[in-house]
Amino acid sequence: MEKPADQSLASYLASLAAPTPAPGGGSAAAVATGMAAALVEMVAGLSLSKQPDGGDAALQQGARDRAAAARMTLLQYADDDAAAYSGFIEALRLPKNTNEEREARTVAISAAAVRAAEVPLQTLQVATAIANDAAALTDRSLASAASDLEVARRFARAAGRSAADNVEANLPYIEEAETRARLAQRTVAALADLDRAAPPSA
């Protein structure tokens, strides 16, 4: 499958719409977070071009740089998520005719589920960081682009919570209780941060 970074928007949406397991919701959440990052980058860049030496220039520069890096990282996460889910599907299809096969299949499913949970957790964490930057730039960037920041916050919130759903969907398949608990705790903490940066009313 062609990587999201190498596809046109139309091609990616066609891949998403295809009757195949991947790419799916986790990949879409990463791309949506990338759109939020792009909007933050745009607003910060516009603000800097308007007032390069303004009092908030350092804040805007930092937000722009972080958003630019996140935008590229999230395209990789979109690809990683599709690959992780494909690996999970492959593990589910392993034979289970003997005790040995069943045991090997369980181990493979658990390992694949860990990876399939880790990638959307990373997306969630980046979405939280993007929402924080969008919140920080509110009233400290170009006023005419305020609505773009609001869209960025809403995209980051929706995408982050969607990524969290993908983490939680994989937790029951993880055999190691400690790993399952660690991923769950990190997800809860990231969601709390996301809610502070982009509350439900945002």
Side-chain angles (χ1 to χ4, degrees), residues 3 24 35 49-50 89 99 102 132 150:
K3 293 184 177 182
M35 294 175 74
S49 65
K50 194 77 170 179
I89 294 298
N99 287 337
R102 283 190 288 273
N132 274 310
E150 189 63 23

mmCIF file of all heavy atoms in Angstrom, residues 3 24 35 49-50 89 99 102 132 150:
data_model
loop_
_atom_site.group_PDB
_atom_site.id
_atom_site.type_symbol
_atom_site.label_atom_id
_atom_site.label_comp_id
_atom_site.label_asym_id
_atom_site.label_seq_id
_atom_site.Cartn_x
_atom_site.Cartn_y
_atom_site.Cartn_z
ATOM 1 N N LYS A 3 2.256 4.860 0.839
ATOM 2 C CA LYS A 3 2.236 5.599 2.094
ATOM 3 C C LYS A 3 1.387 6.863 1.958
ATOM 4 O O LYS A 3 1.384 7.499 0.893
ATOM 5 C CB LYS A 3 3.655 5.973 2.503
ATOM 6 C CG LYS A 3 4.528 4.795 2.876
ATOM 7 C CD LYS A 3 5.889 5.271 3.352
ATOM 8 C CE LYS A 3 6.738 4.093 3.799
ATOM 9 N NZ LYS A 3 8.056 4.531 4.320
ATOM 10 N N GLY A 24 -7.570 2.519 8.397
ATOM 11 C CA GLY A 24 -8.854 2.655 9.078
ATOM 12 C C GLY A 24 -8.873 3.879 9.975
ATOM 13 O O GLY A 24 -8.208 4.887 9.698
ATOM 14 N N MET A 35 -3.816 17.644 9.972
ATOM 15 C CA MET A 35 -4.516 18.827 9.476
ATOM 16 C C MET A 35 -4.583 19.905 10.553
ATOM 17 O O MET A 35 -4.414 21.096 10.265
ATOM 18 C CB MET A 35 -5.914 18.442 9.001
ATOM 19 C CG MET A 35 -5.888 17.528 7.783
ATOM 20 S SD MET A 35 -7.523 16.936 7.281
ATOM 21 C CE MET A 35 -8.196 18.412 6.541
ATOM 22 N N SER A 49 4.690 36.601 9.703
ATOM 23 C CA SER A 49 4.904 37.413 8.502
ATOM 24 C C SER A 49 4.332 38.817 8.684
ATOM 25 O O SER A 49 4.835 39.784 8.102
ATOM 26 C CB SER A 49 4.272 36.735 7.286
ATOM 27 O OG SER A 49 2.861 36.667 7.416
ATOM 28 N N LYS A 50 3.298 38.918 9.514
ATOM 29 C CA LYS A 50 2.670 40.222 9.763
ATOM 30 C C LYS A 50 3.507 41.048 10.737
ATOM 31 O O LYS A 50 3.712 42.241 10.540
ATOM 32 C CB LYS A 50 1.265 39.999 10.345
ATOM 33 C CG LYS A 50 0.372 41.220 10.336
ATOM 34 C CD LYS A 50 -0.187 41.478 8.956
ATOM 35 C CE LYS A 50 -1.265 42.554 8.990
ATOM 36 N NZ LYS A 50 -1.796 42.835 7.646
ATOM 37 N N ILE A 89 -4.335 -8.193 12.109
ATOM 38 C CA ILE A 89 -5.215 -9.060 11.319
ATOM 39 C C ILE A 89 -4.482 -10.347 10.925
ATOM 40 O O ILE A 89 -5.051 -11.448 10.985
ATOM 41 C CB ILE A 89 -5.730 -8.328 10.066
ATOM 42 C CG1 ILE A 89 -6.648 -7.158 10.464
ATOM 43 C CG2 ILE A 89 -6.463 -9.284 9.140
ATOM 44 C CD1 ILE A 89 -7.896 -7.575 11.216
ATOM 45 N N ASN A 99 -2.539 -27.179 20.396
ATOM 46 C CA ASN A 99 -2.227 -26.348 21.556
ATOM 47 C C ASN A 99 -1.059 -25.416 21.258
ATOM 48 O O ASN A 99 -1.072 -24.247 21.663
ATOM 49 C CB ASN A 99 -1.908 -27.227 22.764
ATOM 50 C CG ASN A 99 -3.145 -27.896 23.336
ATOM 51 O OD1 ASN A 99 -4.272 -27.417 23.132
ATOM 52 N ND2 ASN A 99 -2.963 -29.006 24.032
ATOM 53 N N ARG A 102 -2.204 -22.646 19.022
ATOM 54 C CA ARG A 102 -3.042 -21.698 19.756
ATOM 55 C C ARG A 102 -2.187 -20.802 20.655
ATOM 56 O O ARG A 102 -2.443 -19.593 20.769
ATOM 57 C CB ARG A 102 -4.099 -22.442 20.573
ATOM 58 C CG ARG A 102 -5.269 -22.961 19.730
ATOM 59 C CD ARG A 102 -6.403 -23.466 20.593
ATOM 60 N NE ARG A 102 -6.065 -24.736 21.244
ATOM 61 C CZ ARG A 102 -6.256 -25.930 20.688
ATOM 62 N NH1 ARG A 102 -6.745 -26.030 19.463
ATOM 63 N NH2 ARG A 102 -5.954 -27.035 21.354
ATOM 64 N N ASN A 132 -2.598 22.166 22.627
ATOM 65 C CA ASN A 132 -1.966 23.105 23.561
ATOM 66 C C ASN A 132 -1.392 24.310 22.832
ATOM 67 O O ASN A 132 -1.539 25.454 23.285
ATOM 68 C CB ASN A 132 -0.866 22.396 24.363
ATOM 69 C CG ASN A 132 -1.413 21.709 25.593
ATOM 70 O OD1 ASN A 132 -2.147 22.304 26.371
ATOM 71 N ND2 ASN A 132 -1.064 20.454 25.791
ATOM 72 N N GLU A 150 -9.390 27.840 15.985
ATOM 73 C CA GLU A 150 -10.511 27.125 16.596
ATOM 74 C C GLU A 150 -10.752 25.799 15.877
ATOM 75 O O GLU A 150 -10.994 24.757 16.507
ATOM 76 C CB GLU A 150 -11.772 27.989 16.558
ATOM 77 C CG GLU A 150 -12.933 27.424 17.346
ATOM 78 C CD GLU A 150 -12.651 27.305 18.828
ATOM 79 O OE1 GLU A 150 -11.767 28.016 19.361
ATOM 80 O OE2 GLU A 150 -13.311 26.470 19.487
#
